[in-house]
Amino acid sequence: VAFIGKNGMGKTTMAKIIAKELDYNSGQLDIGHNVSISFFAQHHAEQLPKELTILQYMEDTAPNEIRAQVRSILGAFMFSGDDATKKISVLSGGERARVCLAHLLLHPSNVLILDEPTNHLDVAAIRWLENFLLNYEKTVIVVSHDRHFLNQVCTHMADIDFGNIQLYTGNYDFWYASSKIASKLQQDQNK
């Protein structure tokens, strides 16, 4: 599901509320009994410990039962061999974003919330993320302005407009065409 809408409509705020990263002052949030949420925020990449290597960071933060899988998780995120021993301080923005995404898998969840995941990623990393999400068998909520990315990975659009949400089944292009038709019908009714 993609949260879409104009800037300032509350897409990131809603994602943060669902992820329990932000409190809310009205309404109600009901999280299912077996729901476990992981949250990727666009600012997480800047908060990584720059003095550590990728492997050190992952091993230091991995639960004991996952520690043996750290290298294979890093390999899935294109950090195999010597790349896993690079210091975080020398990584590009895209590489840091991939480290953050890999880190999410250390704590398995069944809902993944991604806030602007393609920011700072190069084209190859975006394609890799698209393929990863297409094969991810759990729930994903995405906040993004990257139309191509949304077309590739999302099957539902939640159009957020000043607290009102309209859900569309289909990709970004379907939502765009549907919203244009709805806008045209509204204009015709107002004549």
Side-chain angles (χ1 to χ4, degrees):
V1 177
F3 287 175
I4 57 172
K6 296 176 184 167
N7 287 339
M9 292 296 135
K11 302 175 298 291
T12 293
T13 299
M14 176 144 350
K16 286 181 177 181
I17 289 171
I18 294 169
K20 297 184 179 177
E21 295 277 320
L22 186 65
D23 289 330
Y24 56 96
N25 54 14
S26 66
Q28 181 175 324
L29 174 65
D30 293 321
I31 303 291
H33 174 64
N34 291 319
V35 174
S36 173
I37 299 172
S38 292
F39 180 63
F40 171 83
Q42 51 186 322
H43 68 277
H44 284 171
E46 286 88 45
Q47 298 174 346
L48 292 171
K50 294 177 175 69
E51 70 281 358
L52 298 179
T53 67
I54 300 167
L55 185 58
Q56 287 171 327
Y57 171 64
M58 293 288 284
E59 286 179 339
D60 288 353
T61 56
N64 288 334
E65 63 274 11
I66 305 278
R67 193 164 282 172
Q69 300 171 19
V70 165
R71 281 234 181 228
S72 61
I73 291 170
L74 286 174
F77 284 84
M78 302 186 305
F79 293 114
S80 55
D82 290 341
D83 287 340
T85 60
K86 284 183 182 177
K87 282 213 178 242
I88 291 173
S89 62
V90 302
L91 300 179
S92 70
E95 288 171 322
R96 288 182 190 188
R98 287 198 334 257
V99 170
C100 289
L101 289 166
H103 187 260
L104 288 179
L105 296 185
L106 295 179
H107 308 278
S109 65
N110 51 20
V111 176
L112 184 58
I113 301 175
L114 307 172
D115 183 16
E116 297 293 351
T118 61
N119 283 5
H120 311 295
L121 294 183
D122 60 22
V123 173
I126 292 171
R127 298 300 166 254
W128 180 90
L129 180 59
E130 289 171 356
N131 287 328
F132 173 79
L133 292 175
L134 288 171
N135 292 302
Y136 189 74
E137 296 179 357
K138 297 171 175 110
T139 301
V140 179
I141 297 171
V142 179
V143 177
S144 179
H145 290 94
D146 185 336
R147 296 176 194 160
H148 177 79
F149 179 76
L150 295 177
N151 265 332
Q152 297 303 309
V153 301
C154 295
T155 59
H156 293 78
M157 301 287 130
D159 188 349
I160 300 173
D161 186 17
F162 289 110
N164 296 313
I165 301 173
Q166 178 70 41
L167 186 64
Y168 294 83
T169 301
N171 65 9
Y172 183 88
D173 285 344
F174 175 81
W175 164 81
Y176 186 77
S178 298
S179 64
K180 288 295 180 192
I181 291 168
S183 177
K184 173 92 171 95
L185 289 173
Q186 184 67 36
Q187 288 174 357
D188 290 347
Q189 288 177 350
N190 292 337
K191 288 183 182 178

